[in-house]
Amino acid sequence: MKILLADDDKNFGIVLKNELEEDKYTVDLVSDGVEAVLHFIDNTYDFVLLDIKLPKLDGTNVLQVTKKLNPEIPAITFSGHAGNIEMAESIKAGAIKCLTKPFEIAHLKEDFKRYISRVG
Amino acid sequence: MGKMASGIAHEINNPLATIGGCAEGLLNRINKGQVDHELLNYFKIRDEEVTRCKKITTNMLSFVRRGTYEKSYVNAHEILDKTLELISLQGRLKGVSILRNYGEGVPLIQASEGDLKQVFLAVVINSLDSMDDNGTLTLETGIENNMVFIKIIDTGSGIPSELKNQRRGKRIENPFG
């Protein structure tokens, strides 16, 4: 499974990418919203993980673009300081769920497994 | 202040998420008996994030420390920079271009650092609100008529004309109102 991960928090991005790669997922890490969209256009992903507060283009806008390009793409958003309205907007844009940092990476992995078993 | 405290509390969630992730990664590797480069890297990242948390709380405390409210000779540029640093901890400057047009030879001014920070903070947050955290914020200082001036200029919507005509609005433009 190939995942697009967008987070401008460098260390969090590195740790999350490492931990997902430990479970044999392939992860592309980008640090802003424009880069995320460009990666999504140039590659085929199975899952998208987006921080809501991204520089250049916020995570919800990235999600709206990716959903236009591929309405079936599953996505989870997360944030350390987004408000309730922004979090709700990302769900409205099509995110499966929106997590508040800090969250357990193990729970995120469980979400992946649940999603894979559901779509087969 | 409440909005600022909430913003900073949320900003601590970012390093906490990384520290939590490192702890999970370390535990997984210990359970698997896996000693690799990442194991050492996670300790390094954890230390960086703990330092980041400390910087956030130190900055926050500098706003409430009694000593900083006593009058002394202070550097306006340093206080402007410290104020911006505190706001950046809330993640509100990501979409904002900051222009610093600090005048040369601006002398120290006799003021309370804490009070000045509070004023700068209120004005800058007002600017960011008016720009929806996107635009250009210009900080300008210099000397005019033997006095130091400090200008905080934003590219936001400005004060609505209907508000300007109200009694409260008029007071905004009157420095002694």
Side-chain angles (χ1 to χ4, degrees):
Chain A
M1 186 159 87
K2 195 171 176 183
I3 298 165
L4 175 63
L5 165 62
D7 197 325
D8 65 321
D9 193 307
K10 189 179 137 235
N11 281 343
F12 183 73
I14 291 171
V15 173
L16 185 52
K17 177 177 159 56
N18 281 343
E19 289 312 298
L20 294 171
E21 285 175 345
E22 273 290 302
D23 280 21
K24 311 296 176 208
Y25 296 113
T26 305
V27 183
D28 282 346
L29 172 63
V30 296
S31 59
D32 68 62
V34 172
E35 216 186 331
V37 170
L38 292 176
H39 264 73
F40 194 82
I41 291 168
D42 291 340
N43 297 275
T44 304
Y45 293 102
D46 304 297
F47 215 103
V48 175
L49 288 174
L50 297 165
D51 185 11
I52 292 179
K53 294 265 186 181
L54 285 174
K56 296 184 186 172
L57 190 67
D58 75 38
T60 302
N61 290 142
V62 174
L63 183 57
Q64 285 162 344
V65 176
T66 55
K67 284 281 182 186
K68 276 244 157 67
L69 295 168
N70 178 3
E72 303 302 317
I73 189 76
I76 289 179
T77 54
F78 49 83
S79 182
H81 46 65
N84 288 339
I85 295 170
E86 288 159 303
M87 293 174 84
E89 274 172 1
S90 81
I91 297 291
K92 205 176 153 195
I96 296 169
K97 62 160 70 174
C98 183
L99 304 170
T100 304
K101 283 182 182 175
F103 57 84
E104 281 190 38
I105 296 173
H107 289 166
L108 185 64
K109 289 178 178 177
E110 282 165 18
D111 284 333
F112 282 154
K113 281 175 193 152
R114 250 197 308 272
Y115 171 77
I116 293 165
S117 67
R118 212 174 58 224
V119 296
Chain B
M1 278 305 273
K3 197 177 172 187
M4 187 190 76
S6 146
I8 291 170
H10 281 109
E11 190 58 18
I12 289 178
N13 286 337
N14 280 318
L16 281 182
T18 310
I19 293 166
C22 283
E24 277 187 75
L26 287 168
L27 196 64
N28 286 340
R29 281 164 179 74
I30 289 165
N31 286 339
K32 286 191 249 174
Q34 183 183 333
V35 180
D36 55 15
H37 170 75
E38 288 312 327
L39 189 88
L40 299 173
N41 196 29
Y42 278 6
F43 280 115
K44 193 178 138 261
I45 289 175
R46 184 208 58 179
D47 287 350
E48 281 175 17
E49 296 301 309
V50 169
T51 305
R52 190 171 152 195
C53 285
K54 198 179 162 199
K55 201 173 164 189
I56 294 168
T57 52
T58 305
N59 261 301
M60 215 163 85
L61 286 171
S62 78
F63 265 77
V64 290
R65 244 176 238 134
R66 189 177 288 273
T68 60
Y69 285 86
E70 286 163 10
K71 266 193 181 179
S72 61
Y73 283 96
V74 294
N75 183 326
H77 299 164
E78 276 178 16
I79 299 173
L80 280 168
D81 288 342
K82 281 183 193 171
T83 306
L84 280 191
E85 199 177 327
L86 186 83
I87 294 169
S88 77
L89 293 173
Q90 301 173 56
R92 291 198 62 180
L93 299 180
K94 285 178 184 175
V96 179
S97 300
I98 308 286
L99 288 180
R100 288 179 172 84
N101 293 334
Y102 291 165
E104 279 182 30
V106 172
L108 298 179
I109 50 177
Q110 199 180 10
S112 137
E113 182 177 336
D115 284 338
L116 271 185
K117 273 185 188 167
Q118 298 269 6
V119 171
F120 293 160
L121 190 71
V123 176
V124 172
I125 285 178
N126 196 15
S127 288
L128 295 174
D129 286 346
S130 79
M131 298 194 290
D132 281 333
D133 295 356
N134 284 294
T136 303
L137 183 75
T138 306
L139 305 176
E140 197 177 314
T141 65
I143 307 166
E144 212 172 80
N145 299 329
N146 254 349
M147 284 191 284
V148 171
F149 71 82
I150 298 161
K151 290 181 184 171
I152 298 172
I153 307 156
D154 62 59
T155 51
S157 50
I159 302 162
S161 54
E162 65 269 21
L163 189 65
K164 268 188 187 178
N165 295 330
Q166 289 172 13
R167 199 169 148 236
R168 225 176 107 224
K170 280 179 182 161
R171 280 175 57 200
I172 293 171
E173 292 177 341
N174 178 4
F176 304 105

